[in-house]
Amino acid sequence: YLQTITRIKKYKIMATNKLLSFMKFIGMTFIMTIITLPANAQFLRTSYFMEGVHYRQQLNPALSPGRGYINIPVIGAFNASVSSKSLGYQDIMDIVDSSSDSDFFTSDKFMNRLKSDNQLNLNLSTDILSAGWYKGKNFWSFNVGVRMDMGASIPKSMFTFMREMNGIDFESLDWSDFSRNVGKESLEINAYTEIGLGYARQVNDRLTVGGKVKALLGIGNLKLDVKSIGVDAQLQGIPLDSDGKPNIGAIVDNPELANQIHGSANIDVEASLESSFKGLNLQKGEEGYIDDFDFEAGDMGIAGYGAAIDLGASYKLLDNLTVSAAILDLGFISWSKGSTSIARANTDGLSFDSNVPGDMEKFANIVSSGEVLNYDMLHMEMDETGAKSRKTWLNSTLVFGAEYALLNNWLVVGALSTTRFTKPKTMSELTFSANIRPKNYFNVAVSYSMIQSAGKSLGLALKLGPLFVGTDYMFFGNNTKCCNALLGVSIPLNKRKACCKQG
């Protein structure tokens, strides 16, 4: 989807080089902060009840591990996840690669999988530097990391429109009185560096509390909100294809066919784009509308500042039964005015008249595009007076867990509920897991998450000495709707003193 965002070249040419520029932009920022696309999904649910794993503190700062640690830079805690309730892996790849010759939306199977509103969430995170250590009953931790969240929403009406404009169901179209509404779409990207200090304390044999304070250095935020796109046409003389069906897309390959069309068309759009990225410039085309992004490496830097906190607690109700809860990422980032650009769609609409040379060809080029995010259709203009400082809130997460220990704490079964207040919609998950944890250096867990993956998921996690690998949603082929993985490599430090252990 990042390719979709950076692919804004006019006349439906996918700007691959812009994607490379964006990746370079993220990479350079990574080095510069010695990086970020989720503070919302920088955790692994399957690790929550693995006592010897410090990564579970990402879900609850009160759950201190059995001993201290120093993470290996970058690969010490690298996490990536993609999720959608309706779109499978191959669907997402098709959307990312969409161009004028795409045809994935012509498939009845693809259309039947869609919901009226299709969400996609992408999260990336890593710690550049992180460590944790015990001092008496207190456990301290410190990290410098990068987080990124991306959330997008694409309505089914957009794919239906693309299907109609590219040769499917043309026999049902009446171009003499054509009207479609293909909104609404939304996209938000939030990227920042996190500098965190965590603290956990065992109050007594049953209660442990913890918290984390975080300073946030904003790398960038982009928010696109397409409220509506209306396409209306009153046209006669549309050229026919070889089957005798009306085919407005034929004008793209043969502009002379536009001469036989009579009438007018109109595209009305209500949309806004807010961007707070140092080094990111919105470029204007010949007609004065935004048609490109430009990344200037020399201008990159901190675009905003913010703060956040995590709070958590764990309590032993019975000797074998423990409950816990946490709230994560209560915080904000304030983006500077100098780093902010604002653009809006031309609310007066785009008008096309058959009496104006080239108008019908231009209209055909726009509506027959195979791109999910069609900036030629949006026709966005810079708001020269609208730039101002902005404040965005992190996507907070509520966590509730319960675990029951068996066989002298060797086997633990647990249930975990997480609710992430993501955009455009909140995401909830319920995960059940079984954990074998005979030693601090050896933990194994298997989990089942039943909501986001529509019940088709299996999670596995393994801690073996300094190495940790895990996933909540294993990859099961092209129809996989959720997939994530966490890789961690750390150096163990001092153990917790026996007198300070619970139970």
Side-chain angles (χ1 to χ4, degrees):
Y1 201 91
L2 289 178
Q3 286 180 326
T4 304
I5 302 310
T6 56
R7 192 181 62 257
I8 316 169
K9 283 292 185 181
K10 205 170 182 180
Y11 305 120
K12 303 170 294 301
I13 299 176
M14 187 172 61
T16 306
N17 60 314
K18 294 301 174 183
L19 174 62
L20 297 176
S21 296
F22 183 75
M23 293 176 68
K24 181 179 179 181
F25 164 72
I26 293 295
M28 290 187 66
T29 307
F30 208 148
I31 297 172
M32 189 175 62
T33 56
I34 274 243
I35 159 180
T36 267
L37 272 171
N40 312 324
Q42 57 189 350
F43 50 72
L44 191 77
R45 296 178 179 89
T46 307
S47 72
Y48 192 80
F49 302 110
M50 300 176 71
E51 191 174 51
V53 175
H54 63 266
Y55 301 104
R56 66 187 191 149
Q57 282 199 301
Q58 297 172 344
L59 275 160
N60 188 330
L63 303 181
S64 54
R67 65 191 308 165
Y69 64 90
I70 296 178
N71 277 342
I72 302 299
V74 183
I75 63 170
F78 182 82
N79 192 2
S81 67
V82 178
S83 63
S84 173
K85 285 189 176 181
S86 55
L87 302 172
Y89 164 78
Q90 189 58 53
D91 298 330
I92 295 172
M93 292 301 100
D94 289 338
I95 292 172
V96 169
D97 293 334
S98 65
S99 59
S100 58
D101 58 353
S102 297
D103 61 357
F104 65 93
F105 44 79
T106 65
S107 167
D108 290 335
K109 290 183 178 180
F110 172 81
M111 296 300 294
N112 291 337
R113 286 194 292 268
L114 296 175
K115 300 181 183 295
S116 59
D117 187 16
N118 303 279
Q119 281 84 44
L120 169 66
N121 289 90
L122 167 67
N123 311 103
L124 301 173
S125 69
T126 189
D127 279 344
I128 309 304
L129 176 66
S130 56
W133 62 94
Y134 275 99
K135 189 171 181 59
K137 291 186 177 182
N138 305 320
F139 183 81
W140 294 88
S141 61
F142 174 79
N143 76 293
V144 178
V146 184
R147 320 291 180 222
M148 185 197 89
D149 293 325
M150 188 278 284
S153 174
I154 309 172
K156 185 176 182 178
S157 60
M158 172 57 74
F159 297 104
T160 301
F161 180 77
M162 293 165 60
R163 179 182 172 100
E164 289 181 327
M165 294 301 102
N166 285 269
I168 302 297
D169 299 332
F170 259 111
E171 65 274 13
S172 64
L173 300 182
D174 181 7
W175 284 99
S176 64
D177 187 19
F178 179 85
S179 180
R180 294 290 186 273
N181 190 305
V182 294
K184 75 177 191 178
E185 293 177 282
S186 65
L187 168 73
E188 183 162 358
I189 298 174
N190 197 40
Y192 59 90
T193 295
E194 170 188 299
I195 303 173
L197 178 64
Y199 172 79
R201 179 177 176 82
Q202 184 178 332
V203 178
N204 53 44
D205 287 345
R206 295 193 177 273
L207 175 65
T208 302
V209 297
K212 187 175 185 180
V213 293
K214 299 180 282 191
L216 309 178
L217 309 179
I219 296 173
N221 176 273
L222 185 146
K223 183 178 181 180
L224 172 66
D225 185 14
V226 182
K227 294 183 178 179
S228 66
I229 302 176
V231 181
D232 297 282
Q234 294 78 41
L235 302 173
Q236 302 288 342
I238 301 294
L240 306 179
D241 61 18
S242 58
D243 295 326
K245 299 176 182 178
N247 185 4
I248 196 170
I251 303 173
V252 177
D253 299 321
N254 190 355
E256 293 183 0
L257 295 176
N259 296 330
Q260 69 187 52
I261 299 178
H262 300 284
S264 61
N266 195 71
I267 300 177
D268 289 304
V269 179
E270 184 178 359
S272 63
L273 173 67
E274 298 179 352
S275 171
S276 297
F277 267 99
K278 278 195 173 181
L280 173 64
N281 301 308
L282 306 181
Q283 301 294 306
K284 296 180 182 179
E286 294 180 357
E287 297 180 358
Y289 300 106
I290 295 172
D291 68 349
D292 204 352
F293 278 56
D294 183 38
F295 293 94
E296 296 291 342
D299 295 335
M300 291 189 297
I302 303 302
Y305 298 89
I309 59 171
D310 299 341
L311 298 172
S314 173
Y315 186 78
K316 274 196 171 187
L317 289 176
L318 305 172
D319 287 343
N320 291 345
L321 178 62
T322 302
V323 295
S324 55
I327 185 166
L328 312 174
D329 294 319
L330 281 174
F332 67 94
I333 298 178
S334 181
W335 305 96
S336 66
K337 178 179 179 180
S339 302
T340 299
S341 298
I342 296 178
R344 306 187 189 281
N346 184 355
T347 55
D348 293 333
L350 305 174
S351 297
F352 304 91
D353 191 336
S354 62
N355 295 318
V356 179
D359 256 21
M360 286 299 102
E361 179 186 354
K362 186 185 300 183
F363 177 72
N365 269 282
I366 292 176
V367 299
S368 64
S369 170
E371 297 174 324
V372 176
L373 194 58
N374 188 342
Y375 277 80
D376 286 334
M377 184 178 289
L378 294 182
H379 257 220
M380 304 192 78
E381 295 180 300
M382 291 293 297
D383 186 345
E384 303 296 347
T385 63
K388 58 182 179 180
S389 60
R390 308 164 53 227
K391 181 181 290 185
T392 59
W393 298 91
L394 301 189
N395 298 337
S396 300
T397 302
L398 282 176
V399 180
F400 297 97
E403 60 181 289
Y404 190 81
L406 303 165
L407 304 177
N408 195 28
N409 209 37
W410 186 83
L411 172 66
V412 172
V413 293
L416 179 68
S417 169
T418 59
T419 302
R420 296 177 52 222
F421 298 97
T422 56
K423 299 177 182 178
K425 288 189 176 181
T426 296
M427 298 176 63
S428 298
E429 186 60 282
L430 181 60
T431 301
F432 299 97
S433 66
N435 307 262
I436 300 174
R437 51 190 201 186
K439 297 292 183 179
N440 186 70
Y441 61 83
F442 178 68
N443 277 210
V444 178
V446 59
S447 69
Y448 171 73
S449 299
M450 58 187 300
I451 299 178
Q452 292 301 321
S453 62
K456 299 177 181 179
S457 74
L458 180 66
L460 293 171
L462 168 67
K463 181 188 188 309
L464 184 59
L467 174 67
F468 177 83
V469 291
T471 177
D472 294 321
Y473 308 101
M474 296 186 68
F475 182 76
F476 289 114
N478 290 343
N479 291 326
T480 303
K481 292 181 172 60
C482 297
C483 187
N484 76 332
L486 190 152
L487 168 66
V489 183
S490 59
I491 301 173
L493 298 178
N494 60 302
K495 293 183 179 180
R496 175 169 42 176
K497 294 180 180 179
C499 66
C500 301
K501 295 182 181 179
Q502 289 188 3

